[in-house]
Amino acid sequence: MENPLHTLGHNFLNTTGSADQENPLKLSRRGFMLLAATLSSCAAADPLKPATAARPASAPVKTPSNTAYRTPSIKGPVPRNPDLHLSNNFSKSSGISFSRVLVSGNYIAMTFDDGPQPQNTPRLLDMLRERNIKATFYVIGQSVDLYPAVVRRTVAEGHEIGNHSNTHRLLSKLPDAEILADLHRCENAIVRACGVKPPTMRPPYGGLLQRQRELVHAEFGYPIILWSVDPLDWKRPGASVVSSRILAGASSGGIVLSHDLHSQTVDAMPNTLDTLLRRGFKFVTVSQLLAMKLETPGTAPAPAEPAVQTEQVPPTF
Ligand code: NI
């Protein structure tokens, strides 16, 4: 496998255009920092991992209340996503891994991971409903069992549910049988809660080897959904930073990763969503985005290298 450090450093150059070639040490450090951030992405959003020994394994993470940030007030009516009647029947054979989708038009998919969370998810659902925006929620099976009503509301309001494993472990380190059993447990929890099977999955930390992706795809039919924009919102940099990172990375066919587990992320959404709507983006679910995929062999972006955690230890907060 290609050295992921090299790949990330290369991508970083391409995406920023800051060809710092006379300073390879600096580039290497930046590449490393990006690699570290990528590998540990989602790591803090580990709601089933106790922060202290005293907390039971099934208890949800409590994020500190956010008192400093106020969402900028909106002048005039809240902009609304157009009423989109789009197919969500994507071809299961059109690909296995996606970090973005080649489409014609300004379509973008917001994805929210690691819920349901009993306060933040309903607050986000209110914001999405006000703007007629449909999103995709990659939920954790154990949290679905704790808060099934939140999942039912999510589906009832037209959003899509994805499988994000049952306990948010790094699946790439598990035996095949345990990977499948874990994903089955999550799928069953989702079906119990809302009666709908998830059409796609996202591995925790983005960690799933190509061989394992093929195994999961063959077993469930799931495409493996990664992301094109990662605001690193799990580090809780503040709502305005989360918003500006998403706005900087948004592009046609993009898949935006964030976490409705965290209050700051939800705080960031009104400004983020309204700005994207004003820029002409139309919000769709991941399945709708996949169903719009243009069939142009040779021009489609190559699947992302698996972001597999090998030596990194996830942060414990
Ligand atoms: Ni996650």
Side-chain angles (χ1 to χ4, degrees):
M1 189 179 77
E2 191 176 353
N3 180 353
L5 185 65
H6 183 90
T7 304
L8 282 163
H10 181 68
N11 288 344
F12 187 74
L13 257 186
N14 282 348
T15 51
T16 62
S18 59
D20 223 341
Q21 286 175 351
E22 76 282 5
N23 192 348
L25 180 62
K26 186 179 176 190
L27 171 64
S28 163
R29 261 185 60 215
R30 293 160 87 187
F32 175 77
M33 288 169 70
L34 187 64
L35 172 67
T38 302
L39 291 181
S40 57
S41 175
C42 225
D46 195 347
L48 303 168
K49 184 174 184 176
T52 66
R55 192 150 60 84
S58 60
V61 156
K62 285 185 181 168
T63 54
S65 61
N66 187 336
T67 55
Y69 180 78
R70 293 286 177 276
T71 299
S73 61
I74 295 166
K75 295 188 175 63
V78 173
R80 281 175 61 83
N81 201 42
D83 287 314
L84 299 172
H85 299 285
L86 299 168
S87 170
N88 58 1
N89 292 319
F90 58 88
S91 165
K92 294 250 165 78
S93 60
S94 63
I96 292 184
S97 298
F98 296 90
S99 54
R100 58 182 309 113
V101 180
L102 187 65
V103 297
S104 172
N106 246 354
Y107 297 99
I108 195 165
M110 299 296 294
T111 65
F112 298 97
D113 288 16
D114 298 357
Q117 202 277 352
Q119 283 82 42
N120 293 327
T121 308
R123 203 157 61 87
L124 174 61
L125 290 173
D126 290 345
M127 295 171 180
L128 296 173
R129 183 167 59 184
E130 196 176 9
R131 293 162 176 81
N132 191 38
I133 289 171
K134 309 304 179 198
T136 304
F137 291 78
Y138 286 98
V139 297
I140 297 171
Q142 281 196 0
S143 297
V144 171
D145 282 335
L146 285 171
Y147 310 111
V150 178
V151 180
R152 275 195 292 281
R153 178 186 164 188
T154 305
V155 170
E157 296 188 357
H159 304 290
E160 187 170 301
I161 303 293
N163 189 329
H164 196 45
S165 85
N166 199 53
T167 54
H168 209 273
R169 284 177 292 172
L170 182 60
L171 299 179
S172 58
K173 294 218 169 166
L174 300 180
D176 288 353
E178 185 54 31
I179 294 173
L180 298 181
D182 186 277
L183 292 174
H184 272 297
R185 281 191 286 270
C186 181
E187 182 174 279
N188 292 340
I190 293 168
V191 172
R192 272 196 305 276
C194 67
V196 178
K197 272 194 179 185
T200 69
M201 72 85 66
R202 172 175 285 156
Y205 316 102
L208 204 58
L209 302 168
Q210 182 60 30
R211 182 189 63 76
Q212 296 166 325
R213 296 179 188 197
E214 290 166 9
L215 174 77
V216 167
H217 185 74
E219 173 82 3
F220 295 91
Y222 296 151
I224 315 303
I225 305 301
L226 301 170
W227 53 83
S228 61
V229 183
D230 180 1
L232 301 177
D233 58 317
W234 57 269
K235 291 185 176 179
R236 298 176 206 148
S240 57
V241 173
V242 173
S243 185
S244 63
R245 286 175 178 168
I246 292 174
L247 294 174
S251 62
S252 168
I255 299 171
V256 178
L257 167 71
S258 62
H259 301 82
D260 56 325
L261 185 68
H262 300 306
S263 62
Q264 286 188 355
T265 303
V266 178
D267 292 342
M269 282 305 127
N271 181 56
T272 306
L273 300 174
D274 292 342
T275 305
L276 291 174
L277 284 169
R278 291 200 177 95
R279 286 186 191 171
F281 280 101
K282 289 169 278 193
F283 293 92
V284 294
T285 67
V286 166
S287 287
Q288 287 177 321
L289 194 67
L290 290 175
M292 287 189 277
K293 178 172 175 276
L294 296 174
E295 301 296 341
T296 50
T299 60
E305 276 292 308
V308 174
Q309 203 156 13
T310 51
E311 306 299 330
Q312 298 279 325
V313 177
T316 53
F317 54 90

